[in-house]
Amino acid sequence: MVGERGRRLLDRVTAGIPAHENPVTHVSRLPERAARHEPWPEWAEPSAVAAFRASGVEKPWRHQVEAASLAHAGTHVVVSTGTASGKSLAYQLPVLSALAADPRATALYLSPTKALGADQLRAVSSLDVPGVRAAAFDGDTPMTERDWVRAHANWVFSNPDMLHRGILSAHSRWTQFFRRLRYVVVDECHSYRGVFGSHVALLLRRLRRVAEHYGASPVFVLASATTASPASFATRLTGVECSAVTDDASPRGARTVALWEPPLLDELTGENGAPVRRPAGVETARILTELVVEGARSLAFVRSRRGAELTALGARRLLSEVDPRLADTVAAYRSGYLPEERRALEQALLSGRLLGVATTNALELGVDIAGLDAVVLAGYPGTLASFWQQSGRAGRSGDEALVVFVARDDPLDTYLVHHPAALLERPVETAVLDPTNPYVLGPQLACAVAELPLTEPELETFGGEAARAVLADLAEEKLLRRRSSGWYWTSRDRPHGEVGIRGSGGDQIAVVEADSGRMLGTVDPGSACYSVHPGAVYLHQGSSYVVDELDLETGLALVHAEDPDWTTSPREIVDISVLSTEEQCRHGGVTVCLGEVAVTSQVVGYLRRRPSGEVLDHTPLDLPEQSLHTRAVWYTVSGELLESPAGCGVGEAAAGSTNRAVVDGPGLPGSTSPAEKEDGTAAGSAASREVGGAAELEGASPAAGKSGRAGAVSASGGPVGEPAGTESASPTAGGTGGTTVGSAASHPAGEPAETGSASPVSGAAAGAATSHATGEPAGTESASPTAGAIDEAAAGPATSHATGEPAGTESASPTAGGIGGTAAGAAARRAAGKPVGTGGASSVVGVTGEVSGDPAAGRGPAAGVEIGVAVGPVGTGGAGRAPGGAGLLPARVPGALHAAEHAAIGLLPLFATCDRWDIGGVSTAWHEDTGEATVFVHDGHPGGAGFADRGYAAIVPWLAATREAIVSCECPTGCPSCVQSPKCGNGNDPLDKAGAVAVLGAVLGALRQHGEQCGHGGA
C-alpha cells in the first residue's frame, strides 16, 4: 500500500529478531511534503528557460526563483535547502541568462571536489544554451587545454585549490576573464569549515580583490545544505553581506527513520573484559542484503573507501546464499574510480539494474542520485548537515522510504540513538571557521601581497588589527616591505606553491619509491617525523613500504617496497603549558577557561613489533622538535568537589600515585596521495588500518632526554580531518611519548593516526604521573578493541597511552595489545621494576592512541556499583557523598577524569562542526599551570579552528550530553560505546565509568548553580 513502504521495509529488516533483542531504539515518520511552484521569472533569457524545459523542468520551485531573482538583482545570496531540492537551478538560471544575453560576460564555479565540479559541468553542458562555453580548469585539465580555457571559456568550473595555485597566482593571464566576471558560484559551501574553511574564506577575499582590480564586482551565489544561520555563515565565508533563502519548496516523499544500536556480543570481549558491539559495517551489510531481497533501491553510506568495498562484498556474499543472481545487483561506489566507471554505476542505480550500493560521501555532495527506497548510514557522518544530506537521498513523491541510522561503537553514536531529538529535532549546526587565525592569515596575506600590493584601506577585509599584526611580522622577516602606500612583495618567487589550503601549509614531503622514482604521495611537513621517519612502515593503497631515509631539508622521503611481518610505532615526548587565559569563570569549585596552549613534542625513537604484540626492538631517532600553539577549553575541579567521604582530597592524594595526566588528541595534517582524492579518506596514510589485516603502528620506547619542565608527557593521535568531500585528505601515522613525574599530559597536533605504542603502567610508586592520549576519529570501526597487557615501569615514571585511528577506518579483528603480550608478563615486569624496551628504570614508554596508566589499586568502579541509571551516589567508592560533590576516593580520580575526557571528546562534534580527529584532550589529577584537577580539550590545528571556542560556549549542554551518553550505555563498567577507545594503547586503564558520571554530575551541578554570570548556568 502506498505510503507504508518504509515501515514494511523496516519490518523486513528486523524480521526474525526476537523482540527482546530488537536493535531499533526509536522510529519516527517524517511526513510527505508537496511541491510549490512559481512561474519562470520575466528576466530569465528565453533560451535558458527553453533549455530547462527541454530537460524536463516545466516550472521551477519557489525557492529556486527567489534565490535566482536575488542573484539577478545583484544581491549576494545563499540558498540553504535540503538534498535534491534543485539548488543547482538557483544559480544556473541567473548565470546562464547573463551569459546568453552578453557573450562577453564570464562566471566562475567553485566546488570542494573535482567529482562534483565534473557533475555540474556535465549538467550545464547538457543544457546546451547558445553562447555558453563552459569548461573545467582543475588539476586534471591537460596543459594543452588550459590556454583555450583562459582565452575562450565564459563559465569556468574549478575548485579552491586551483583558484589558489593556478588562477590568482597568475591573474595577469586571466585579465579578460576577470574584467568581465559577473558571478562566482560557491557550491556545497557548508563543507568549508575548520582550517580549510578559514583558508577558503581568505581565498574568496583575495578573489574579490583581484576582480575589483580589473573593474569587476561579481555577485556571489552560494549553495548549502540545510544549516543554522546560513546568511551569517555565508557572510563570514565571503566577506560580503549575503541574503539567505531557506524555505524549501521542493517535494519530498514521506520517510520512516529508524535508529539502530547493534547488540553487544556475548562471545567476544575487548580490553579489560569490556563488552563490544557488532560492527556497524557488518550490520549495514546485513541490512542492505535484506533491502535488496525486498527489491528496494538502496544506498549505504560508509565512512571509508575500504569500508564501502567490504560492505558491498559482504552483502554480495550473503545474497549469493539466497539467490546468486541478486549478488550482481550490489556494488561499491567511491571516489578513486575512473569517471566512466562512476557514471556507469550512477546510471545502473538510476535505471534499477543495481539495487544496492555501498558508498562513501562521494554520493553525498551533489551527485544526482535521489528518490531511492532506502538509505542506511553506518555511523554518524560527523555533522547534522551531512546526516540530512545523506538521508535525503531516500524518498519519492507518493511513496514512503526508509532511513536507518546504525550506531558505531562510539559515545556520540550511543548518545544519538538514545536521544533521538538530538538527531531529528535539533537545528543543524553552523560551520565553524576563523579567518583571523594567524597561522592561516599569514600565508594568505603573503599570497595577497604577492598578487597585488596591499593598501591600508584593504586591511579591514582581511581582519583589521589581526591583519596589521601579521603584516608587521612578515615585514620583520623581510618577506615583504612596508611603504607609505602599502605593503609590497619583495621576492621574485610567488609564495602560492608553499601554501597548502587544506592543511597546515608549507612544502610537502614527497614520498618516493627509491628504485623506480615513482612518487607515492605527499606528507605534511608537520607530520613527517611521525609518519615517514627512517624505518617507518608506510601504507599506500594497500601496499606496504619501509622508509629508508627522511630528508626534511630537501623534502624527500625515500622508501622501498616491503611487506614485513612487523609494524612500527614512533615514540615522542610532549610538553604542554597554558600560554594565556582569555575567558575564565569560577563556579563553586569548578573553573571553566578558554585560552591558548602550547604543545611541544619530539619523536625520539620507534618500536618494531609483531601483530601479536611482541616487541622486536627499539631504535632511537634524532629528529627535531615539533611545536603547536593552539586554542583550548578546559575546566578544573577543586579537591573539595572530588574528595571522598573520608576527606581524602586531591591534594592529599598527590603523594599516593594519583597525580595523573591523561591525553586525548588529534593528529597532524595528513598526507596526500595523488591516487585518492575526493572523499577525505586515508589516501596516502602512513599506516592506515584496513579490514582484514592492514598494518597498525603500535609500540613504545623510552622518553629519555626531555624533561625540561614538569609537563613532559607522551601523546599521539589521529589524523586531522578535512571536510567531507574534499579532494585531498589523508591521515598520517603517528607517535607517542612518555611523561615525567608530576607532568600534565597533552595530545598535540602533529601526531599521526594509525599508530600505537604500548606504555608501561607505573606501579604503586609514589608520585607517578599517568598520561593518556587518544586520537580516535569519527568513522572508525572496530569489531573489538585493541587487546593486550600493559607493562609496568619502575617506580616513579609516568605512563602514557595514545589512540589514533584515521577517519573512516574499519577493523574486523582486534589487535593484540601491549608490550609484553600478556598480563602475566606485565605483572612479572612490574615486580622486577623494569619497563620493556626502555633505556633504564627512569625511562617512560608511551603509546599511540589513548594514554593512561594507573596503579593496580583503584581501577574501575567500586565493587557492586551498577551503571546505566541516573546517578546519585554512584561511584563514590564508599558511603554517601556530600551534596554536589563527586565523592571519589583519591585512587579513583585519574580513571574518572580519563573516562570523562574520552566521552567528552567523542561528544564535542555534536556541538561544533568538527570530527574527533580535529581535537585533542588532556586530563590530569593535578596540572602545573592550574594547580587543580584539569580536563583540557584543544583544537588540533595551529592557532585553533574555532572548535574549542564552541565547546566553551556550549560547556553545559556538551558535558550534559557527555554524561547522558555514559549513563545510556548498558555496559557495566565501560566499553567503546561510552568511555573506552578501541585503540587505547595501554588497555583503556584506568577508566572509571561510574566515577566519570559522578565527576560530570558534580561539575554540571556547580555550573548550573553558579554559572549564570558567565552564561554557563543553562540546561
Side-chain angles (χ1 to χ4, degrees), residues 796-861:
T799 304
S800 77
H801 149 339
T803 307
E805 296 185 290
T809 17
E810 294 193 340
S811 174
S813 66
T815 299
I819 300 174
T822 67
R829 278 176 295 282
R830 183 187 310 122
K834 296 184 74 172
V836 173
T838 67
S842 63
S843 301
V844 179
V845 180
V847 301
T848 298
E850 307 196 13
V851 181
S852 100
D854 193 26
R859 293 179 184 169

Side-chain angles (χ1 to χ4, degrees), residues 691-783:
V691 179
E696 211 181 82
L697 299 184
E698 298 200 357
S701 89
K706 171 70 176 175
S707 59
R709 63 187 292 271
V713 53
S714 77
S716 79
V720 168
E722 296 191 15
T726 59
E727 294 187 343
S728 62
S730 166
T732 56
T736 65
T739 75
T740 58
V741 176
S743 70
S746 85
H747 175 281
E751 293 165 22
E754 269 323 320
T755 66
S757 66
S759 159
V761 178
S762 59
T770 304
S771 78
H772 157 69
T774 53
E776 156 204 34
T780 308
E781 294 194 27
S782 175

Side-chain angles (χ1 to χ4, degrees), residues 263-266 268-278 409 783-785 969-978 980 993:
L264 293 170
L265 301 174
D266 296 330
L268 188 63
T269 59
E271 287 113 334
N272 307 320
V276 294
R277 299 186 185 278
R278 185 179 296 137
D409 219 353
S784 85
C969 185
E970 72 265 34
C971 75
T973 58
C975 71
S977 292
C978 54
Q980 277 196 351
K993 177 178 179 178

Side-chain angles (χ1 to χ4, degrees), residues 182-258:
R182 292 277 301 276
Y183 290 100
V184 174
V185 177
V186 184
D187 206 357
E188 301 292 351
C189 68
H190 62 278
S191 65
Y192 298 123
R193 63 181 189 267
V195 170
F196 178 47
S198 301
H199 274 291
V200 171
L202 293 167
L203 183 64
L204 295 178
R205 286 158 174 77
R206 286 165 47 200
L207 170 62
R208 285 174 38 226
R209 182 167 171 263
V210 169
E212 290 170 359
H213 173 72
Y214 291 104
S217 182
V219 174
F220 282 81
V221 186
L222 299 91
S224 170
T226 303
T227 183
S229 307
S232 62
F233 171 71
T235 298
R236 288 199 310 274
L237 184 65
T238 60
V240 294
E241 285 293 327
C242 294
S243 298
V245 174
T246 59
D247 185 13
D248 193 339
S250 63
R252 185 185 66 196
R255 287 175 288 176
T256 294
V257 180

Side-chain angles (χ1 to χ4, degrees), residues 406-765:
V406 182
R408 289 175 297 113
D409 219 353
D410 176 87
L412 178 55
D413 287 29
T414 299
Y415 178 83
L416 292 175
V417 294
H418 290 284
H419 299 81
L423 185 67
L424 304 178
E425 300 175 18
R426 194 167 60 92
V428 176
E429 59 274 281
T430 301
V432 177
L433 54 86
D434 179 17
T436 62
N437 178 342
Y439 293 89
V440 175
L441 187 55
Q444 288 288 333
L445 281 175
C447 293
V449 175
E451 290 157 5
L452 293 168
L454 186 66
T455 62
E456 188 79 26
E458 293 175 313
L459 287 187
E460 198 60 36
T461 300
F462 290 97
E465 288 304 315
R468 189 185 306 279
V470 169
L471 287 170
D473 291 340
L474 293 174
E476 186 175 344
E477 296 172 15
K478 309 297 185 185
L479 294 175
L480 50 84
R481 181 176 301 161
R482 174 74 162 102
R483 294 179 179 171
S484 59
S485 56
W487 289 265
Y488 292 79
W489 188 247
T490 59
S491 173
R492 298 182 63 181
D493 298 325
R494 299 279 175 165
H496 300 70
E498 300 180 7
V499 177
I501 66 172
R502 294 182 186 263
S504 63
D507 291 326
Q508 298 292 298
I509 305 296
V511 182
V512 176
E513 187 175 23
D515 293 341
S516 65
R518 179 171 64 106
M519 190 176 80
L520 302 178
T522 61
V523 178
D524 190 279
S527 64
C529 292
Y530 302 89
S531 55
V532 290
H533 60 76
V537 174
Y538 179 85
L539 290 186
H540 175 69
Q541 294 185 341
S543 299
S544 297
Y545 300 83
V546 174
V547 179
D548 297 315
E549 180 184 351
L550 172 62
D551 190 332
L552 295 173
E553 291 186 1
T554 61
L556 190 65
L558 297 178
V559 303
H560 69 271
E562 184 178 344
D563 189 16
D565 62 350
W566 43 264
T567 61
T568 55
S569 177
R571 277 273 294 107
E572 69 168 351
I573 51 178
V574 178
D575 186 29
I576 182 173
S577 61
V578 175
L579 295 178
S580 65
T581 303
E582 296 180 7
E583 303 282 348
Q584 177 174 306
C585 288
R586 190 162 185 88
H587 316 303
V590 174
T591 302
V592 181
C593 302
L594 175 70
E596 296 185 354
V597 294
V599 181
T600 303
S601 61
Q602 182 180 22
V603 175
V604 296
Y606 69 94
L607 286 180
R608 292 193 310 148
R609 138 173 128 164
R610 299 190 189 280
S612 65
E614 176 190 359
V615 175
L616 298 177
D617 55 31
H618 165 260
T619 303
L621 294 172
D622 183 16
L623 294 172
E625 286 187 343
Q626 305 281 327
S627 62
L628 169 71
H629 286 194
T630 189
R631 294 178 63 78
V633 54
W634 63 93
Y635 63 87
T636 67
V637 189
S638 68
E640 289 72 21
L641 274 181
L642 291 174
E643 66 184 6
S644 71
C648 284
V650 174
E652 298 175 53
S657 73
T658 60
N659 179 24
R660 300 169 174 77
V662 189
V663 187
D664 236 295
L668 287 177
S671 59
T672 301
S673 166
E676 299 198 65
K677 294 286 185 183
E678 304 343 316
D679 64 351
T681 57
S685 76
S688 57
R689 181 206 298 176
E690 297 178 351
V691 179
E696 211 181 82
L697 299 184
E698 298 200 357
S701 89
K706 171 70 176 175
S707 59
R709 63 187 292 271
V713 53
S714 77
S716 79
V720 168
E722 296 191 15
T726 59
E727 294 187 343
S728 62
S730 166
T732 56
T736 65
T739 75
T740 58
V741 176
S743 70
S746 85
H747 175 281
E751 293 165 22
E754 269 323 320
T755 66
S757 66
S759 159
V761 178
S762 59

Side-chain angles (χ1 to χ4, degrees), residues 41-98:
E42 296 181 359
W43 54 261
E45 278 294 308
S47 59
V49 172
F52 281 116
R53 282 179 167 153
S55 69
V57 182
E58 189 58 36
K59 285 197 300 183
W61 296 316
R62 183 174 299 172
H63 67 274
Q64 293 173 322
V65 174
E66 181 183 356
S69 297
L70 285 170
H72 174 75
T75 301
H76 307 291
V77 62
V78 55
V79 54
S80 177
T81 53
T83 306
S85 60
K87 291 186 286 288
S88 298
L89 188 145
Y91 61 74
Q92 289 172 353
L93 183 60
V95 173
L96 292 174
S97 294

